[in-house]
Amino acid sequence: MKHYLVTGGSGFIGAALVQRLVRDGHRVRVLDDNSRGHTGRLSGVLDDVEFVQGDIRDAAAVRGAVRGVDGVLHLAAVNGTRHFYEKPEVVLDVGVRGMLNVLDACRADGVGDLVVASSSEAYQTPPQVPTPEDVPLVVPDVLNPRYSYGGSKLISELLAVNWGRSGFDRVAIFRPHNVYGPDMGWEHVIPEFSRRAVGAITGHPAGPVPFPIQGDGRQTRAFVHIDDAVDGIVTVIDRGEHLGIYHIGNPEEVSIADLARRTVACLGREAQVIPGPAAPGGTDRRSPDISRLTALGYAPRIPLSAGLPGVVEWYAERARADAARIGQAAE
């Protein structure tokens, strides 16, 4: 058993990883400022972890958190498409300064095992689908704030790989692809679709439910349930090679229009999908080639048909509760 630091450990993926590591018997320290996470995600294991409240951009805080651990699992980042457009400077600051602080702290304290979370956003529009790990990483337009997150992950990969060439026993990188599950925040497509579905159903108690979307709906994504994603991350932690890069996901593709229809169907209704203008900087198709990770023993277990209904209902319950509170406040 090892002693790990998980940065961003109260975030959506980070907290799920912490839960798993504790269940597997590891000692875990968490560094997070709870700006987007919360310790409620660590319910059931919070007494078993050492929680350090701190900003990943604070070099002293990172140095203190790294001291004495066997390995660092670096997940701290500002995710969520809305944030990419609204505060790109924060996205970049957290991503790049945070990565440098982690690398400095690991070297200063002789921590030789580092696993870094990147993202499929690092390669944006892939030249082939399913997409392997060795495609070019690109920022198509530096003037588009949409690419602040992908740019920060591209830089983080460059830093991790090149600093990792010396002074580390193992540096590995994983790129999650469209992870979904309960309590991931509202700034992602499945939570957003769930909330919009509740509102549309409320406004249209009979017949097909009008459901506007961005773009023509033919764009595809491949979603991976949080439980499968954590299995993949743990596979990288346990078996990933030095300077290895691994896609984590489920290659099952779904169009955005079909996702909208499935989301509404989870709530017992039929959607009338209404195409709209596409968001600038979007990608038409994305699905990971996970053969490099499956070679290490990973296999996703939860198809979208099995994982989506419970997740949609989780968000729908909270959307209904929010609407009820707003209605009561207006009375």
Side-chain angles (χ1 to χ4, degrees):
M1 297 299 104
K2 292 186 177 181
H3 186 187
Y4 288 112
L5 168 68
V6 181
T7 73
S10 67
F12 169 56
I13 298 177
L17 177 60
V18 170
Q19 295 265 5
R20 171 65 179 273
L21 292 172
V22 171
R23 289 198 306 270
D24 287 351
H26 298 289
R27 292 176 59 200
V28 181
R29 179 181 297 159
V30 170
L31 174 66
D32 208 310
D33 64 357
N34 286 334
S35 58
R36 295 191 64 246
H38 58 84
T39 54
R41 288 182 171 133
L42 299 173
S43 175
V45 301
L46 189 57
D47 291 341
D48 300 311
V49 305
E50 179 188 356
F51 188 89
V52 178
Q53 179 112 9
D55 192 325
I56 196 69
R57 295 171 293 182
D58 181 343
V62 176
R63 176 75 185 271
V66 167
R67 189 172 294 118
V69 301
D70 299 314
V72 175
L73 314 176
H74 178 46
L75 283 77
V78 177
N79 200 352
T81 305
R82 176 168 60 84
H83 298 310
F84 306 163
Y85 287 105
E86 293 180 358
K87 47 184 181 182
E89 74 286 359
V90 176
V91 172
L92 281 160
D93 194 25
V94 169
V96 177
R97 199 184 306 272
M99 185 74 261
L100 284 168
N101 284 343
V102 167
L103 289 164
D104 281 338
C106 286
R107 278 192 168 179
D109 282 270
V111 177
D113 192 19
L114 173 63
V115 177
V116 175
S118 183
S119 170
S120 58
E121 296 280 342
Y123 59 73
Q124 283 302 321
T125 302
Q128 64 186 94
V129 180
T131 305
E133 288 85 353
D134 57 0
V135 296
L137 306 188
V138 297
V139 175
D141 180 5
V142 296
L143 296 178
N144 187 339
R146 173 71 174 77
Y147 301 122
S148 56
Y149 183 70
S152 75
K153 291 302 186 181
L154 190 162
I155 295 167
S156 293
E157 289 199 23
L158 280 171
L159 289 168
V161 166
N162 287 291
W163 286 56
R165 295 184 195 279
S166 63
F168 286 86
D169 301 315
R170 196 257 314 246
V171 174
I173 295 168
F174 65 90
R175 296 181 189 146
H177 286 64
N178 291 98
V179 184
Y180 75 99
D183 201 13
M184 67 185 295
W186 293 103
E187 308 90 359
H188 307 271
V189 62
I190 289 176
E192 179 188 342
F193 275 17
S194 301
R195 179 161 57 185
R196 286 166 51 192
V198 168
I201 289 170
T202 301
H204 298 83
V209 178
F211 200 93
I213 62 171
Q214 291 183 341
D216 60 16
R218 292 181 296 178
Q219 298 84 359
T220 69
R221 293 294 183 269
F223 294 91
V224 60
H225 191 276
I226 182 62
D227 293 348
D228 280 343
V230 169
D231 282 348
I233 296 168
V234 169
T235 301
V236 174
I237 294 169
D238 290 345
R239 306 187 192 106
E241 296 179 352
H242 181 46
L243 303 185
I245 302 172
Y246 302 90
H247 283 170
I248 291 178
N250 185 333
E252 175 193 1
E253 274 186 273
V254 60
S255 72
I256 296 302
D258 190 32
L259 180 66
R261 286 188 285 265
R262 290 194 192 196
T263 300
V264 175
C266 288
L267 302 177
R269 296 290 297 279
E270 178 185 354
Q272 177 189 357
V273 176
I274 303 171
T283 299
D284 282 341
R285 188 180 175 206
R286 187 174 286 161
S287 176
D289 179 341
I290 59 170
S291 56
R292 190 177 288 182
L293 191 60
T294 57
L296 299 183
Y298 168 77
R301 299 172 290 108
I302 306 170
L304 191 63
S305 60
L308 187 64
V311 173
V312 169
E313 186 54 44
W314 191 94
Y315 288 104
E317 287 179 5
R318 282 145 187 84
R320 295 185 195 108
D322 289 345
R325 281 194 293 271
I326 292 171
Q328 290 171 357
E331 292 176 357

